[in-house]
Amino acid sequence: MTRDVADNTPAMGEQDGLFAALIATAVDGIIVIDRQGLIQIYNHACERLFGYPPEEVLGRNVKMLMPEPYHSEHDGYLSHYKQTGEKRIIGVGREVVGRRKDRSTFPMYLSVGEGSLGDRHFFVGIIRDLTEIKQEAVRREGVNRLLAQIVQTSDDAIVSTTLDGEITSWNASAERIFGHGAEEALGANVAILFLPDRLADEERLMQQVRAGREVSNLETVRLHKSGREVLVSLSVAPIRDGAGNVIGASKIARDITEKKLAEVRTLTLQDELAHVGRLSAMGQMSAAIAHELNQPLTAVTNYVRAAQRLLANRPLEQRQIDNASQAMARAAEQTIRAGTIIRYLRDFVEKRESERAAEDINEVIQEALALGLLGLRHNNVTVTTNLDADLPPLLLDRVQMQQVFLNLIRNAMEAMAGSAGELSISSARDGDHVEIVLRDTGPGFSPEVRGRLFQAFVTTKENGMGIGLKICQSTVESHGGVIQALEGPGAAFRIRLPLAQP
Amino acid sequence: MSWFAGIVDDDDAVRDSLRFLLESNDIPAQAFDSAASFLAADTSDMGCLVLDLHMPGMTGLELLILLRSRGMERPVIVVSGRRDPAQDSLVRAAGATHILSKPFEDERLLGLVREALAQAA
């Protein structure tokens, strides 16, 4: 301090030195101005804050330390106060902006007091630099915004609750996974997500949280708003207040329903294959037949029940009679379909030798082809045949062998449905055998599927009469022949049949 | 608002007879021959779905998982010609409301469909 109020106030006596030391060592900036706004005292802390040495400041108007608009308005404040006595900042503190010598500005907290020595009035300003606090607040706000963004865009449901279970935050994925909107969920109890018979488990979980422990990746079940169950992997952590007391829980739930379903699906498929492996060939055939029979039986039941219902109307209208009659006709068609399936089953089981006769295999193929292409609506498939016209007749059951080709042709058509494709069929003599090859341009089989084509009914549903490659195989083998699936492209089968013994 | 019952079954006879049965009982019905044709249709007024499991292309189970993951919450009644416990639990986990064996008693299906449509209304 180059000059201080004590110079002009001899009454202060020896306390002057004490006050001077106080002001000089204060961490906060201290400025004293007179009623004209001229700086009288300017301590060391101010030198650091504003960058001016005392000699550049003392005796000058304090507004030099203020940026606009305070700079221009400050004289006005002072004269307003002198005229009206109305205080704006005096006696209270507020956050304002200071200007350094290099004209940069900084946020500061300013408290102003008023005093007098004799007839001299002055104002004391105490200044605290807010720069670091402000920076910290901005940084924290940025971190919070980033965290909020992460929470909001996370694929996992992120939910926080009080210790009583009241939901205090609820992100977008929580809405997606559990069905409740944020407006419903916030303030509600988290028990809306619990299965009633699992409440004890939830209580144990919260005990862990109250004890300050975390729970990670617990697989459990939650309730969707619709009542559907959602499988989740759950992690729970305690939320603490500034003093370290646990005041709530944060919960992160990952929807693992689809993952679990995929696991179960794989297991089911393995089970099914193992099961099929244990079944006898006859067992497999009867399973396939039962499945095929269920379709026409279902249709018959539906048609007959519908007709019954229509005929129960009183008064009975002609339209209803007509509809009932139509339903009965369709039911009859379906019983015939069921009968056909049973007849084919019997044919294959009995393997009647009696119906075998010397047949032209090319004719059998052509007939099967005609049947196979019948009734195909969106047929973009080109069929090319390359049949050896000089083949000797084979001893075979015409109907059974037709069924084999029909089955293979139908499968090919289904595989190529909806897109352009080609089915090629060839026949040729190979020593004492005839070899027939069918090949389509559909997706074909993976090596793994090709390996078990004839072991299991891995089929999707066949239209109408096809009852599986297993039956094709047993028919071909009962004729002393062999059927094989060939490598791609497309699905390809080779059938070798022996020539009739001379 | 008139809600309809959706039917997805690739078997022509089963599909047609189901539609016939529902319509004879004054229940509006729309039938689809594959998951793909169902997905291509406007089904915003569908009150429930009667779904076959074994279909070429997208299976009934895959369609069910897809619909549930898209937030479809209407009841889905699965009809299956081949039942086994592992498949049943899978179908339930995927969000099926009921599973019926083919062939089924008409009253059972009609009751479930009526209940579902009343719920939707």
Side-chain angles (χ1 to χ4, degrees):
Chain A
M1 257 171 290
T2 339
R3 181 166 55 156
D4 66 31
V5 271
D7 291 348
N8 303 318
T9 52
M12 292 296 286
E14 63 179 9
Q15 288 189 331
D16 293 359
L18 183 59
F19 286 125
L22 265 177
I23 291 168
T25 55
V27 176
D28 289 342
I30 297 175
I31 290 177
V32 175
I33 58 173
D34 63 16
R35 280 172 69 90
Q36 279 69 49
L38 305 180
I39 296 170
Q40 307 299 311
I41 293 179
Y42 177 87
N43 73 347
H44 292 309
C46 282
E47 292 185 46
R48 283 197 303 276
L49 284 173
F50 293 98
Y52 289 104
E55 60 273 18
E56 292 181 19
V57 171
L58 289 168
R60 296 186 58 193
N61 194 311
V62 72
K63 67 186 182 187
M64 69 181 290
L65 302 177
M66 304 172 188
E68 293 298 347
Y70 312 103
H71 181 86
S72 305
E73 291 170 359
H74 192 257
D75 289 343
Y77 295 154
L78 278 180
S79 57
H80 179 80
Y81 175 63
K82 277 185 278 191
Q83 281 158 22
T84 64
E86 186 191 326
K87 298 176 180 177
R88 294 218 175 134
I89 187 170
I90 296 165
V92 292
R94 71 159 66 157
E95 194 184 315
V96 295
V97 181
R99 188 175 72 185
R100 300 191 187 93
K101 185 180 181 184
D102 65 7
R103 313 199 62 86
S104 62
T105 60
F106 64 99
M108 58 185 234
Y109 192 86
L110 174 66
S111 10
V112 179
E114 189 182 12
S116 59
L117 276 174
D119 58 351
R120 296 188 52 200
H121 286 268
F122 51 90
F123 300 101
V124 181
I126 299 180
I127 294 158
R128 175 160 295 178
D129 187 357
L130 297 180
T131 307
E132 280 184 22
I133 294 170
K134 282 277 175 186
Q135 279 171 352
E136 173 63 17
V138 167
R139 196 186 61 81
R140 191 171 297 180
E141 196 187 310
V143 169
N144 286 345
R145 222 188 348 250
L146 185 66
L147 283 176
Q149 209 168 6
I150 291 169
V151 166
Q152 215 42 38
T153 56
S154 169
D155 277 346
D156 297 340
I158 302 180
V159 174
S160 60
T161 70
T162 64
L163 283 180
D164 297 331
E166 186 189 318
I167 296 170
T168 48
S169 77
W170 185 262
N171 73 343
S173 284
E175 176 165 353
R176 180 174 50 77
I177 293 172
F178 301 121
H180 302 277
E183 69 289 349
E184 298 169 79
L186 291 173
N189 197 287
V190 72
I192 57 174
L193 305 179
F194 298 161
L195 271 67
D197 57 351
R198 297 263 188 126
L199 288 177
D201 293 353
E202 302 302 336
E203 186 42 42
R204 271 195 291 280
L205 201 60
M206 281 312 284
Q207 277 169 7
Q208 297 280 321
V209 172
R210 283 194 201 97
R213 285 193 282 271
E214 298 186 4
V215 178
S216 297
N217 301 320
L218 173 75
E219 288 192 2
T220 183
V221 182
R222 286 284 177 271
L223 267 185
H224 187 268
K225 188 183 176 187
S226 65
R228 172 167 57 86
E229 294 178 11
V230 185
L231 303 175
V232 295
S233 170
L234 185 68
S235 297
V236 183
I239 299 176
R240 296 172 191 276
D241 64 11
N245 302 311
V246 177
I247 53 164
S250 78
K251 307 181 177 187
I252 302 180
R254 172 161 299 177
D255 187 348
I256 54 168
T257 309
E258 299 213 9
K259 181 171 147 259
K260 279 279 149 188
L261 280 174
E263 283 174 21
V264 176
R265 199 194 309 214
T266 310
L267 284 178
T268 314
L269 185 62
Q270 284 164 357
D271 272 5
E272 198 168 308
L273 286 177
H275 180 62
V276 163
R278 283 192 301 272
L279 280 179
S280 66
M282 192 51 74
Q284 290 178 32
M285 198 178 295
S286 52
I289 295 287
H291 178 60
E292 282 303 317
L293 277 177
N294 273 335
Q295 303 288 26
L297 289 179
T298 302
V300 168
T301 313
N302 292 341
Y303 282 131
V304 172
R305 291 297 193 191
Q308 209 178 6
R309 172 77 189 79
L310 286 166
L311 294 176
N313 282 306
R314 294 291 179 275
L316 188 56
E317 295 166 18
Q318 186 59 43
R319 183 181 55 86
Q320 290 162 336
I321 297 173
D322 292 346
N323 281 344
S325 159
Q326 198 184 19
M328 298 309 288
R330 291 184 195 174
E333 281 171 21
Q334 291 303 309
T335 58
I336 291 169
R337 173 182 169 195
T340 312
I341 293 167
I342 291 172
R343 189 155 45 81
Y344 274 107
L345 172 65
R346 206 181 51 214
D347 285 354
F348 287 118
V349 171
E350 292 180 355
K351 295 179 180 164
R352 290 160 301 163
E353 300 283 334
S354 59
E355 289 192 17
R356 293 202 179 169
E359 304 278 3
D360 179 350
I361 188 72
N362 291 338
E363 256 180 43
V364 175
I365 293 169
Q366 294 284 15
E367 282 169 10
L369 200 50
L371 278 173
L373 300 180
L374 206 65
L376 284 185
R377 279 162 297 178
H378 313 292
N379 188 2
N380 281 325
V381 174
T382 319
V383 179
T384 55
T385 54
N386 184 13
L387 306 177
D388 182 348
D390 295 328
L391 292 176
L394 302 181
L395 188 64
L396 47 82
D397 184 315
R398 193 182 183 97
V399 175
Q400 284 186 4
M401 199 51 72
Q402 232 172 44
Q403 190 61 39
V404 170
F405 291 117
L406 183 57
N407 201 3
L408 296 175
I409 291 165
R410 283 280 191 177
N411 282 350
M413 291 302 171
E414 265 182 33
M416 295 186 288
S419 59
E422 184 181 339
L423 171 65
S424 62
I425 306 177
S426 66
S427 66
R429 182 164 177 174
D430 178 22
D432 53 356
H433 280 76
V434 169
E435 196 168 279
I436 301 118
V437 175
L438 293 92
R439 184 183 288 278
D440 68 36
T441 56
F445 313 108
S446 66
E448 189 258 331
V449 169
R450 199 168 66 234
R452 60 187 170 87
L453 268 182
F454 296 106
Q455 288 139 38
F457 286 91
V458 283
T459 136
T460 62
K461 200 156 56 181
E462 295 88 3
N463 273 325
M465 295 180 290
I467 43 181
L469 289 171
K470 184 75 198 165
I471 291 173
C472 291
Q473 186 187 38
S474 66
T475 302
V476 171
E477 287 177 357
S478 78
H479 283 80
V482 179
I483 180 169
Q484 278 178 294
L486 304 179
E487 277 187 32
F493 292 93
R494 177 171 57 211
I495 296 172
R496 284 171 62 82
L497 292 169
L499 297 180
Q501 299 301 318
Chain B
M1 169 99 198
S2 164
W3 297 93
F4 71 85
I7 299 164
V8 180
D9 196 314
D10 67 308
D11 188 290
D12 293 346
V14 173
R15 184 175 67 250
D16 181 62
S17 68
L18 268 171
R19 188 186 50 76
F20 211 103
L21 178 66
L22 294 177
E23 288 180 351
S24 306
N25 285 274
D26 302 318
I27 299 169
Q30 280 185 34
F32 305 91
D33 64 1
S34 67
S37 62
F38 175 83
L39 290 170
D42 173 12
T43 51
S44 47
D45 292 347
M46 187 183 74
C48 74
L49 177 62
V50 180
L51 179 62
D52 180 35
L53 282 186
H54 304 280
M55 295 190 286
M58 185 186 281
T59 67
L61 180 63
E62 286 162 344
L63 176 62
L64 179 58
I65 292 171
L66 179 69
L67 291 177
R68 290 308 191 209
S69 71
R70 286 183 181 179
M72 196 282 258
E73 292 177 9
R74 298 280 179 223
V76 174
I77 302 158
V78 163
V79 288
S80 171
R82 252 189 302 193
R83 296 276 301 271
D84 70 72
Q87 181 183 273
D88 279 8
S89 60
L90 186 62
V91 169
R92 283 212 181 82
T97 325
H98 297 280
I99 310 175
L100 298 184
S101 297
K102 284 180 182 175
F104 41 82
E105 254 314 322
D106 61 327
E107 277 307 330
R108 178 97 177 98
L109 178 76
L110 291 170
L112 293 173
V113 170
R114 283 201 189 98
E115 188 188 329
L117 295 187
Q119 229 174 59

